[in-house]
Each structure stands twice: as structure tokens, then as C-alpha cells.
């Protein structure tokens, strides 16, 4: 396992190595080879067509609430995957510029001899690997559960198995979708299951590669802000070994340049991610509501467990985004403390004015948003949970009245 993970590393991209390889493997970063490029585009089109068939199936299951809810939670997640991929391909050059900036800035900081900065870089790199592999594991655990759920239910539920044999129930699908063949026959059901499993695996690859890449980039912005703060503290050197005015001015200019570049690419990253996160918030609210309702209404213990795992994935998916965005916001707000922790007080008045100008630049915070309406923070995540719980309560009460 460790040998396999080591193959994902890239010395030229020490922070984003596994994430960039995942983006290339699943076709989000299109290769230069023409054949492979069109092969990936064909795969994308097939999964997009499959997502459209999920919406078609809504018409056929609209009379059964459980089937309808099951369709909605999968379909909305699939829709988010499609939107992520389409926007990533449309803004391919923007994403490449962001990845190049992250790699360039990260490599520039790794040549430092400062022990504190090296320890910080090592800690954040390790954290990026953990969050990436954890998210991949969580996603593919969910995909496997979705794929094998029909088999689990068939062999672990005697009543369901008997009802299927008698024709009182239909076969449980991997993913609720329309299929041109009759899914109530063995050949039609197997053919539909193969197509649905392919879409589930490939869609899972889309989600893991896009989300883990975005999350690691968020971690980078936080790390860069903390490293920049350390450099601001050291603009004039230490009290025992102060640097000359020329060296101090050079360091101050470098801090200023880095922050300008950081703000620029932070806004570019937010412009690519913000529209997706706005829709993501709505989709997660509905998905969490539907999944919570299914857990309370389901009678099978195994089915409850499988649905609970899906709920955990939905909550974790949104929480990780909000948590890391919240970290970036607070690191950006604390950045202005760096210059004031330097030896500005024992320097010439002209250098004090330069420090004042630098703190003015630092007033431009790096913050990520969900559309034009709200910042992506932990407080926003809590609000989404409250909204999902309100929808769940409304849905539960409406079913009791009926």
C-alpha cells in the first residue's frame, strides 16, 4: 500500500502530486495526446448521458416516495459531479494557472533554512496527504456500498428475496436510472447494473479528484499565509542580529509581492469554486434531509447502516470545504499581526511608514464564498445543517398527516 502511494508522489509537485495525478487519471486535466483526449471526452459524455437518464427515471418512480427519495439523493450528487467536471473543463486554463501558482509558491518556500518554516511545511504536506487519502477512502467506500447494496439486500433480506421471486417487488438497482431494456428481466437488469456501476465508479473518480484537489489548494493558502506571517516577523531580523535597511526593504517588498500574488490567485480560485459551492449548499441540504428521513423510516438494520454511511459522506463532504475555508479566512485576518511583531519600533520612521503600507495591503483578506450570498465558513455549515433538519421535520410531519 505504501509503495503504491509513493508512486503517486511527484518531486516537481511536492504538495499537489497525488491530486494532479488523480485529475489526469480521471480526465479532468486533459492530456495532450489527441486520442486520449477524445477518449476521456467520450467517457465524460457517457456519464453525463447517464445522469440525464436518472432524471428520466424520476417520472417512472414518482408514485413511490422511497424510490423517489433514493433517486433524488443520488441524482443530485451526480448532477454536482457533472457540473464540477464541465466547469473544470471549461475553465481548464484557470485551474492550470492555479495549480502552477501553488506549485511555484510551494517550491519557493521549501528551499528555506528556517527550522520553524520547514516544520510547518512538513506538517501541512503530511496533513494534505491524510485529508486526500481519507477523502478518497470515504468516497470509494460509499461507491462500493452503492454498488453492492442490491446484493446485500437480496441475500440478507428473506422477505425482499421472496417478494422478488413472486413478482411483488422489482430488483433493487445500483443507481435509479432509465434503461432501454426491461430491468425486471435478468439480462436487462445485469446490463443496467453494469452501466450503473461504471457511472458510479467514474462519477466517484470525478468527485474525489476535484474535491481533494480543491481542499489541498485551500490548505496551501492557509500555509502560505502562515509562512508569510513568519517572514513579516523577520523583516528586520532578530533583536540580537538586525539586518541592514537595504535587506529589510528587500524583505518587505518580497512580502508585499507574495501577498499581492496570493490575493490574485485566491480570487481566481474563488471565482472557479464559488458557483459550484452555491449549488453544493442547496444540493447538500436536500440530500442530507432525504437521507435522514430514509434512516428513520427504514426498518432493515443493514439498510439503515448503509444509508447512514451515505449521510456521513454527505456531511463530511460539505464540512471539509467549510472547515478549510474557515481556516484560510482566520489566517488571513491574523496576517496583519506579523509586521507589528517585527522590530519596527526600533527602526527609522521611513521604515515604519513602509510597515504601515504593508499592513494596508494585508487588509485585503483571502476568503472563499458560496456565490454572492455567503462566505464559506463553519457558521455557514451549521446553518446548512439547521436548514436540512427543518426540511426533514417538514417531510416527516407531512408523511404522518397522510
Amino acid at each position: 500500500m505504501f509503495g503504491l502511494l509513493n508512486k503517486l508522489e511527484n518531486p516537481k509537485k511536492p504538495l499537489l502530486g497525488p491530486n494532479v495525478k488523480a485529475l489526469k487519471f480521471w480526465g479532468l486535466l486533459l492530456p495532450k495526446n489527441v486520442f486520449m483526449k477524445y477518449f476521456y471526452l467520450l467517457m465524460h459524455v457517457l456519464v453525463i448521458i447517464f445522469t440525464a437518464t436518472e432524471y428520466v427515471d424520476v417520472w417512472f418512480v414518482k408514485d413511490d416516495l422511497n424510490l423517489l427519495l433514493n433517486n433524488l439523493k443520488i441524482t443530485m450528487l451526480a448532477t454536482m459531479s457533472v457540473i464540477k467536471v464541465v466547469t473544470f473543463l471549461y475553465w481548464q486554463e484557470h485551474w492550470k494557472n492555479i495549480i502552477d501558482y501553488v506549485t511555484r509558491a510551494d517550491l519557493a518556500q521549501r528551499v528555506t533554512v528556517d527550522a520553524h518554516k520547514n516544520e510547518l511545511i512538513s506538517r501541512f504536506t503530511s496533513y494534505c496527504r491524510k485529508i486526500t487519502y481519507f477523502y478518497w477512502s470515504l468516497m470509494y467506500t460509499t461507491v462500493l456500498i452503492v454498488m453492492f447494496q442490491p446484493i446485500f439486500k437480496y441475500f440478507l433480506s428473506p422477505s425482499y428475496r421472496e417478494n422478488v421471486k413472486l413478482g411483488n417487488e422489482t430488483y433493487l438497482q445500483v443507481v435509479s436510472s432509465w434503461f432501454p431494456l426491461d430491468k425486471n428481466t435478468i439480462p436487462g437488469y445485469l446490463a443496467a447494473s453494469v452501466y450503473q456501476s461504471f457511472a458510479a465508479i467514474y462519477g466517484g473518480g470525478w468527485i474525489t479528484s476535484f474535491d481533494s484537489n480543491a481542499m489541498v489548494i485551500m490548505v496551501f493558502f492557509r500555509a502560505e499565509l502562515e509562512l508569510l506571517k513568519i517572514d513579516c516577523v523577520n523583516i528586520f531580523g532578530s533583536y540580537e542580529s538586525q539586518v541592514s535597511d537595504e535587506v529589510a526593504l528587500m524583505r518587505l517588498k518580497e512580502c508585499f509581492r507574495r501577498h499581492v500574488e496570493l490575493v490574485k490567485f485566491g480570487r481566481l480560485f474563488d471565482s472557479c469554486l464559488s458557483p459550484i459551492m452555491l449549488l453544493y449548499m442547496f444540493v447538500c441540504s436536500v440530500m442530507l434531509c432525504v437521507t435522514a428521513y430514509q434512516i428513520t423510516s427504514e426498518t432493515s438494520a443493514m439498510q439503515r447502516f448503509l444509508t447512514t454511511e451515505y449521510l456521513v459522506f454527505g456531511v463530511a463532504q460539505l464540512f471539509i470545504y467549510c472547515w478549510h475555508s474557515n481556516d484560510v479566512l482566520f489566517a488571513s485576518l491574523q496576517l496583519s499581526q506579523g509586521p507589528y511583531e517585527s522590530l519596527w519600533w526600533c527602526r527609522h520612521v521611513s521604515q515604519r511608514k513602509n510597515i504601515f503600507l504593508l499592513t494596508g495591503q494585508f487588509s485585503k483578506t483571502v476568503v472563499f464564498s458560496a456565490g454572492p450570498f455567503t462566505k464559506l465558513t463553519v457558521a455557514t455549515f451549521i446553518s446548512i445543517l439547521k436548514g436540512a433538519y427543518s426540511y426533514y421535520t417538514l417531510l416527516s410531519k407531512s408523511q404522518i398527516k397522510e
Side-chain angles (χ1 to χ4, degrees), residues 175-245:
V175 178
S176 180
S177 66
W178 176 82
F179 196 71
L181 302 179
D182 186 359
K183 291 180 290 186
N184 292 321
T185 63
I186 294 296
Y189 177 73
L190 291 177
S193 296
V194 170
Y195 188 29
Q196 291 165 357
S197 298
F198 155 75
I201 293 171
Y202 210 81
W206 280 357
I207 294 174
T208 52
S209 56
F210 182 96
D211 286 349
S212 61
N213 177 66
M215 291 166 188
V216 170
I217 290 175
M218 285 183 174
V219 174
F220 159 79
F221 278 110
R222 179 193 169 188
E224 180 67 6
L225 286 164
E226 293 195 14
L227 292 170
L228 182 56
K229 182 180 177 182
I230 294 172
D231 288 339
C232 289
V233 174
N234 296 323
I235 285 177
F236 301 112
S238 63
Y239 190 78
E240 293 77 14
S241 58
Q242 297 186 33
V243 299
S244 64
D245 291 348

Side-chain angles (χ1 to χ4, degrees), residues 40-221:
Y40 277 120
L41 289 174
L42 174 63
M43 299 288 277
H44 296 336
V45 169
L46 289 175
V47 178
I48 291 171
I49 291 173
F50 174 80
T51 304
T53 66
E54 291 183 271
Y55 282 98
V56 173
D57 197 60
V58 170
W59 174 260
F60 296 99
V61 301
K62 64 182 186 298
D63 296 326
D64 189 320
L65 180 62
N66 286 329
L67 290 178
L68 179 62
L69 293 178
N70 195 56
N71 177 291
L72 284 176
K73 73 176 185 181
I74 300 291
T75 301
M76 297 187 81
L77 186 61
T79 303
M80 280 305 311
S81 302
V82 169
I83 292 172
K84 287 175 183 178
V85 169
V86 171
T87 57
F88 195 97
L89 294 175
Y90 185 74
W91 293 322
Q92 183 102 152
E93 289 306 314
H94 291 334
W95 280 105
K96 286 182 178 178
N97 289 336
I98 293 167
I99 291 171
D100 289 342
Y101 160 69
V102 170
T103 302
R104 184 176 69 253
D106 177 55
L107 287 172
Q109 293 304 307
R110 288 179 185 268
V111 296
T112 182
V113 294
D114 188 310
H116 180 41
K117 289 177 67 175
N118 279 325
E119 189 275 332
L120 192 67
I121 292 169
S122 177
R123 179 160 56 85
F124 274 112
T125 303
S126 176
Y127 177 78
C128 286
R129 293 297 179 271
K130 289 175 183 177
I131 196 68
T132 296
Y133 298 144
F134 165 76
Y135 191 78
W136 290 2
S137 301
L138 183 61
M139 178 68 230
Y140 276 101
T141 299
T142 305
V143 169
L144 288 174
I145 286 175
V146 169
M147 288 175 56
F148 290 102
Q149 187 174 345
I151 298 175
F152 291 152
K153 188 169 183 178
Y154 187 83
F155 287 103
L156 298 178
S157 176
S159 59
Y160 165 74
R161 188 164 60 247
E162 189 65 25
N163 286 333
V164 168
K165 290 179 180 179
L166 295 174
N168 297 328
E169 282 191 64
T170 58
Y171 291 108
L172 180 66
Q173 299 179 66
V174 173
V175 178
S176 180
S177 66
W178 176 82
F179 196 71
L181 302 179
D182 186 359
K183 291 180 290 186
N184 292 321
T185 63
I186 294 296
Y189 177 73
L190 291 177
S193 296
V194 170
Y195 188 29
Q196 291 165 357
S197 298
F198 155 75
I201 293 171
Y202 210 81
W206 280 357
I207 294 174
T208 52
S209 56
F210 182 96
D211 286 349
S212 61
N213 177 66
M215 291 166 188
V216 170
I217 290 175
M218 285 183 174
V219 174
F220 159 79
F221 278 110

